[in-house]
Amino acid sequence: MNHPSGRRKPRDPLFLRHFRQVVTLVAGLTLALSLSLFFCFERLSRQNVYENATATLSQSAAFTEDLLDICTQITFQIQKDNTISPILMQSNPTNGETMVALDQLSQYQYIIQSLRSIYVVNNRTGKVYTSCGIEGTDNRIIDQSVFPDLSALRLVEDYEDYPAYTAVPRQYDGENYYTFIGYDFTHKASDGSLNCAVLVNVSAGWLKTAASALGDTPEGETVIISADGKVVSDSENFPMQADAASLLPAAGEILGAETGGYLVDGDRFIAYTAPDRMGWQYLRIIPYAGIMEEVRQFQLISFLILAGFLAAGLIASWILNRRLYQPIDRFK
């Protein structure tokens, strides 16, 4: 029965078929968009976190390299300083030369705040000359036989294992240090041992402070590992000299990577760099739960928006289909 308005109630199979086609099209497009966002959102979020982490790591690496260069230059300058030369190379420096050289060492110590001590090892005299007093000794000229910092002397003995003017992480008297070794192959004894060496000891808190200044937060931590898999930074979760693989199972996959990248290791998101000139790699470790929480929030917002679009699309489809069906209804 025709109505005065010229419209038929939408019970006609042709109307319903048209309506189903329009609804299917709208629902299909909305579903495709929803699935695309759902599966791509996590990957996009990871990429965004990685880019932010890479920016932080680049800053950390640049800052660390600047500090390394400063310490390297200090070590080299001490080794070539004519004032210090008598206690470094001579077999019998005079008392006057020794006192002037020790005063010069003290001046060097205050160049950077984190520099704890400077050792001048002279195997010709069998002594170690220090920029400051060493606990357990009476003065700054100490016989190697009673020198308390034995790990420093071992660095000189095993000098071939350490390239000159590079930072060597080590521990002494409950404190972590980076020791920069300066030596010259032309000053070797007949048995191949070094006749002299300069050791500049810098507190490991230096890099920790640098990392904090560059934005370390409870949601993220910067860790530095060496080419042999040892942690060379110092933090509560990753103490210096610890085996990185024992604390971070993914370290084996990261070590020696030719390019930077990121991976998910259990509940941790890890961004990493390629090795620098010292073979160190910088890692940014972020709890993955925090990333996923943000992803879920965005997914929920996206779902609500898409649900609104779907509801609006269905209503618009109903109205549009009724108007499109009017000429067909009148013709019938």
Side-chain angles (χ1 to χ4, degrees):
M1 180 177 179
N2 292 334
H3 294 274
S5 62
R7 295 182 182 177
R8 180 188 295 272
K9 292 182 178 180
R11 297 175 182 173
D12 187 279
L14 183 60
F15 174 88
L16 296 176
R17 187 171 61 196
H18 279 233
F19 180 65
R20 282 197 301 268
Q21 290 175 349
V22 176
V23 168
T24 301
L25 178 62
V26 173
L29 290 174
T30 305
L31 180 62
L33 182 59
S34 301
L35 292 175
S36 175
L37 287 174
F38 182 83
F39 289 110
C40 293
F41 214 86
E42 184 175 348
R43 181 178 59 82
L44 294 174
S45 296
R46 286 183 184 179
Q47 186 65 30
N48 183 58
V49 172
Y50 169 65
E51 290 175 357
N52 291 335
T54 299
T56 299
L57 292 178
S58 296
Q59 289 182 322
S60 298
F63 194 83
T64 300
E65 188 164 350
D66 288 343
L67 293 176
L68 290 174
D69 287 341
I70 291 172
C71 293
T72 297
Q73 291 169 11
I74 292 173
T75 307
F76 182 80
Q77 188 171 342
I78 293 172
Q79 187 182 356
K80 302 301 181 182
D81 193 319
N82 291 330
T83 305
I84 297 172
S85 171
I87 63 173
L88 179 66
M89 299 181 183
Q90 293 182 16
S91 300
N92 295 295
T94 66
N95 288 337
E97 290 173 330
T98 300
M99 292 302 102
V100 172
L102 290 176
D103 288 342
Q104 184 75 340
L105 280 183
S106 297
Q107 295 300 318
Y108 276 112
Q109 182 172 341
Y110 298 107
I111 291 178
I112 58 176
Q113 185 177 3
S114 298
L115 204 160
R116 290 288 182 263
S117 60
I118 302 170
Y119 302 157
V120 173
V121 180
N122 188 335
N123 285 331
R124 295 185 180 92
T125 62
K127 298 183 184 297
V128 179
Y129 304 85
T130 68
S131 62
C132 59
I134 304 296
E135 187 176 353
T137 62
D138 295 330
N139 53 48
R140 292 160 54 191
I141 306 173
I142 310 166
D143 288 335
Q144 293 184 17
S145 60
V146 294
F147 190 68
D149 194 349
L150 297 178
S151 63
L153 295 181
R154 281 195 292 270
L155 294 181
V156 179
E157 293 175 2
D158 302 329
Y159 72 94
E160 293 179 333
D161 296 335
Y162 309 100
Y165 310 109
T166 58
V168 180
R170 69 183 187 93
Q171 295 174 324
Y172 169 64
D173 196 25
E175 187 174 354
N176 295 319
Y177 291 95
Y178 298 100
T179 296
F180 293 77
I181 310 174
Y183 59 83
D184 190 336
F185 282 112
T186 61
H187 297 285
K188 291 197 298 183
S190 57
D191 61 358
S193 62
L194 288 176
N195 280 326
C196 55
V198 173
L199 287 79
V200 174
N201 303 300
V202 181
S203 172
W206 155 62
L207 280 185
K208 187 175 182 180
T209 301
S212 299
L214 292 171
D216 262 16
T217 65
E219 292 75 31
E221 182 176 6
T222 300
V223 179
I224 308 174
I225 59 176
S226 62
D228 60 357
K230 296 293 184 182
V231 178
V232 296
S233 54
D234 187 28
S235 64
E236 182 178 353
N237 297 321
F238 294 88
M240 196 167 88
Q241 294 291 73
D243 180 33
S246 64
L247 301 175
L248 197 67
E253 185 177 346
I254 295 172
L255 279 172
E258 295 182 358
T259 60
Y262 69 88
L263 53 82
V264 177
D265 180 29
D267 60 349
R268 292 180 286 199
F269 178 92
I270 306 169
Y272 57 89
T273 68
D276 64 6
R277 63 182 177 85
M278 295 188 61
W280 292 2
Q281 289 180 269
Y282 298 77
L283 282 59
R284 182 72 176 171
I285 302 174
I286 303 170
Y288 196 58
I291 298 174
M292 289 306 300
E293 181 62 28
E294 293 181 2
V295 170
R296 292 189 186 96
Q297 290 178 0
F298 281 115
Q299 286 177 336
L300 176 61
I301 293 173
S302 299
F303 174 78
L304 294 176
I305 293 174
L306 289 170
F309 275 120
L310 178 60
L314 293 176
I315 294 173
S317 299
W318 175 268
I319 296 173
L320 178 63
N321 199 62
R322 286 177 64 90
R323 292 189 176 183
L324 290 175
Y325 186 74
Q326 284 184 26
I328 299 175
D329 184 40
R330 291 174 179 172
F331 178 77
K332 291 178 62 176

